[in-house]
Amino acid sequence: MKRLSSVIAAFLLMSVVHAADMSNSMELTQLYIIGSATPYQWDVSSTPDMERVADGVFRWSGRLEAGGEFKFVNTREFHKHILATNANQPVTAGNTYHLAFIADWTLDGSRDLKFIAATTGEYTIHVDLNTMMMSVCEKEEPVRLPSTLYATGSALGGEVVSLPLHAGAEFKAALQLRPGSLVIRDTHDVTAATTYYLPLFDGVDISFGEGYASSLTTAHSLDGREGWSVTVAGTYTLYGILDNSRIFARPFKPCKVLYLVGGCCPLSWNYWSDPASISFTPKADKPEELVWEGVLKKDWSEGREEANKLKILTAQNWQSVNFHPYVADQPLLGESSYRSTGGPDIKWTIDRNGTYRITVNTALETIKGELIGDTNGRAFSQSVTSIDEQQTASGITVTSDGTAVTVSSSHEVAHVCIISANGAVTATGIATDNPYVSHPLPHGIYIVCASTQTGIIRHKVAIE
């Protein structure tokens, strides 16, 4: 919460400066490092954007050469300079330094105060323009998220909530948060081995969404730290992304419309010519749920790209958030969670032409696919268990000992998805020549889907 107060104060100060003289105001959304100590020398056009941790807070990792100079610029126009407060300020790892800001198109040498790298090495530099401080340390190793995560803190009223891991890709949970702090750790109960996963700068406000995702650091005790701040009460979806070790939250807002696109859809991948025909409709009594009904076919015409596949757009463009499965070529039939945070551009598939009902719950991030009729709209009941076994991928073996399923793939990595008779995703995993073995399954009929880059196998298994 303390960090939020300083951000608000700095914002108000910058607003006054901006009103007085727009050209001389400090920018809190961008920063660049340049100088003879850096790989970019003094070429401001070649230096990359520093990572923005939060408004006015930036991070950079890279090599500095001993004796070389460096400073920061607030724009690429070489107009707004972030400098040392002393001439030829030596910089060493493990120390913090005050910063100065000067806006001047013709900065003379007496005021152009630069930092000097004391020794050659790999460093991580953090710059906080809200406090005008810089910290320097040896290059940080990236934080890796563990296999279990829990959320707690005053924003949850002290409750400890387990964050489910979806398909080995991300932790995700819908949470009701109150104003306070949110702490993420890897054990339910605090022990000597507990690791806390914290924002790099304490008090980063999670209420502002993905754009304020923070670089992570770890600790074995809080030592008074607050974790993330929450200033606005409400429903949030909290994410922990494994491949880039980011933790962030999105305030929940019901989608007013979604669009269905894909080779099996009426308009194929065309979302612009007749959007009404591919639009989902929110339920009047449950606005978080949206429904689409219509005909899907895997053979509309020859030459359709990905003829049996589909995904969901949140806007009529490819850049906005889109929804897709966690597992490549997952069957549309049944109910499962979808992914809204990027990842590989994979899709759902259909195995049969017909009239489908697709229900999306944007609060829980789930999707349910039902086959409700033939292509002429005549209704019938269709269970996932009627899917014919088929094999287009070689080298995949599916076996069962009566309690669990084993899948191996001798040629390629295979993504495995086990679906129960009612269409629910029961288990997912990865199979190679090191087999995937499911946990013991309840009695029933299951469809085992194993997909590779070159094909897919669907196999029906009975668990006695």
Side-chain angles (χ1 to χ4, degrees):
M1 301 294 284
K2 296 189 293 293
R3 170 62 59 199
L4 178 67
S5 299
S6 65
V7 171
I8 292 174
F11 175 76
L12 293 174
L13 176 61
M14 290 305 104
S15 298
V16 173
V17 174
H18 182 82
D21 186 351
M22 181 181 296
S23 65
N24 291 331
S25 60
M26 186 184 293
E27 307 287 343
L28 296 180
T29 59
Q30 61 198 25
L31 194 67
Y32 312 93
I33 184 172
I34 57 170
S36 58
T38 74
Y40 326 111
Q41 299 297 302
W42 297 103
D43 183 3
V44 71
S45 64
S46 69
T47 179
D49 290 10
M50 291 180 65
E51 177 191 358
R52 190 177 73 166
V53 175
D55 238 12
V57 183
F58 303 88
R59 177 179 183 270
W60 175 83
S61 291
R63 184 178 180 83
L64 296 177
E65 297 292 338
E69 299 175 324
F70 71 93
K71 66 176 183 178
F72 307 93
V73 287
N74 208 206
T75 72
R76 292 191 187 275
E77 282 72 37
F78 224 86
H79 167 39
K80 302 174 184 180
H81 309 265
I82 310 295
L83 305 160
T85 55
N86 299 302
N88 300 320
Q89 173 67 61
V91 168
T92 56
N95 292 299
T96 60
Y97 304 88
H98 291 281
L99 298 168
F101 170 66
I102 298 178
D104 193 333
W105 288 103
T106 57
L107 185 65
D108 62 77
S110 65
R111 294 187 299 151
D112 191 11
L113 307 180
K114 304 179 182 69
F115 296 99
I116 305 293
T119 58
T120 298
E122 297 289 329
Y123 295 89
T124 295
I125 296 175
H126 304 108
V127 173
D128 187 345
L129 298 182
N130 303 299
T131 60
M132 294 303 287
M133 294 293 293
M134 175 182 76
S135 67
V136 180
C137 61
E138 294 182 1
K139 187 175 182 179
E140 298 173 338
E141 292 300 322
V143 172
R144 301 298 181 194
L145 292 180
S147 58
T148 58
L149 274 185
Y150 299 86
T152 187
S154 59
L156 286 166
E159 180 185 0
V160 180
V161 177
S162 174
L163 305 180
L165 179 59
H166 293 263
E170 66 181 9
F171 295 94
K172 179 171 66 178
L175 302 175
Q176 288 291 329
L177 301 180
R178 64 186 70 176
S181 62
L182 190 68
V183 175
I184 310 296
R185 64 190 189 216
D186 63 354
T187 61
H188 183 279
D189 300 314
V190 177
T191 70
T194 296
T195 298
Y196 294 91
Y197 293 82
L198 302 166
L200 192 62
F201 293 89
D202 206 24
V204 172
D205 200 303
I206 211 163
S207 308
F208 293 105
E210 187 174 357
Y212 287 73
S214 171
S215 298
L216 294 180
T217 185
T218 59
H220 291 292
S221 64
L222 289 178
D223 291 331
R225 294 196 63 181
E226 296 178 327
W228 283 267
S229 291
V230 180
T231 56
V232 181
T235 302
Y236 292 81
T237 304
L238 181 66
Y239 304 90
I241 314 297
L242 269 72
D243 61 2
N244 57 18
S245 294
R246 288 193 306 143
I247 292 176
F248 62 92
R250 290 176 181 159
F252 172 67
K253 295 180 181 178
C255 293
K256 295 182 178 179
V257 68
L258 299 171
Y259 301 95
L260 192 70
V261 294
C264 63
C265 301
L267 300 182
S268 189
W269 298 100
N270 175 346
Y271 55 75
W272 55 88
S273 64
D274 183 17
S277 67
I278 59 170
S279 297
F280 286 70
T281 302
K283 290 184 177 180
D285 58 336
K286 298 179 70 175
E288 72 274 15
E289 287 194 358
L290 297 92
V291 179
W292 179 89
E293 288 187 7
V295 173
L296 300 178
K297 297 168 62 176
K298 56 183 181 178
D299 54 1
W300 287 98
S301 61
E302 291 186 7
R304 273 206 177 190
E305 185 178 357
E306 298 182 298
N308 68 331
K309 299 183 181 183
L310 61 91
K311 67 177 182 178
I312 297 170
L313 305 181
T314 61
Q316 288 181 278
N317 60 64
W318 301 115
Q319 291 72 45
S320 299
V321 171
N322 64 80
F323 303 160
H324 54 84
Y326 286 98
V327 179
D329 299 329
Q330 181 173 318
L332 174 65
L333 288 177
E335 186 170 3
S336 61
S337 294
Y338 64 77
R339 185 170 188 180
S340 64
T341 56
D345 186 23
I346 55 181
K347 289 94 177 176
W348 288 281
T349 62
I350 64 166
D351 291 293
R352 179 173 178 176
N353 296 344
T355 300
Y356 287 77
R357 178 186 297 122
I358 302 174
T359 305
V360 172
N361 187 310
T362 55
L364 301 177
E365 296 203 351
T366 60
I367 181 172
K368 181 180 181 181
E370 302 171 89
L371 184 57
I372 60 175
D374 62 21
T375 54
N376 295 314
R378 291 186 292 267
F380 58 84
S381 177
Q382 174 64 33
S383 167
V384 72
T385 57
S386 67
I387 295 177
D388 294 331
E389 294 184 19
Q390 52 183 286
Q391 181 168 344
T392 59
S394 61
I396 296 177
T397 303
V398 179
T399 58
S400 172
D401 63 0
T403 61
V405 172
T406 299
V407 182
S408 61
S409 178
S410 60
H411 297 159
E412 302 176 82
V413 173
H415 296 271
V416 180
C417 181
I418 301 176
I419 303 168
S420 66
N422 64 5
V425 175
T426 303
T428 60
I430 300 295
T432 60
D433 53 0
N434 181 25
Y436 164 77
V437 181
S438 74
H439 54 74
L441 299 170
H443 170 76
I445 302 296
Y446 297 85
I447 301 297
V448 180
C449 302
S451 61
T452 68
Q453 293 291 329
T454 57
I456 186 169
I457 178 174
R458 293 181 175 89
H459 191 82
K460 191 181 299 182
V461 172
I463 298 296
E464 303 296 333

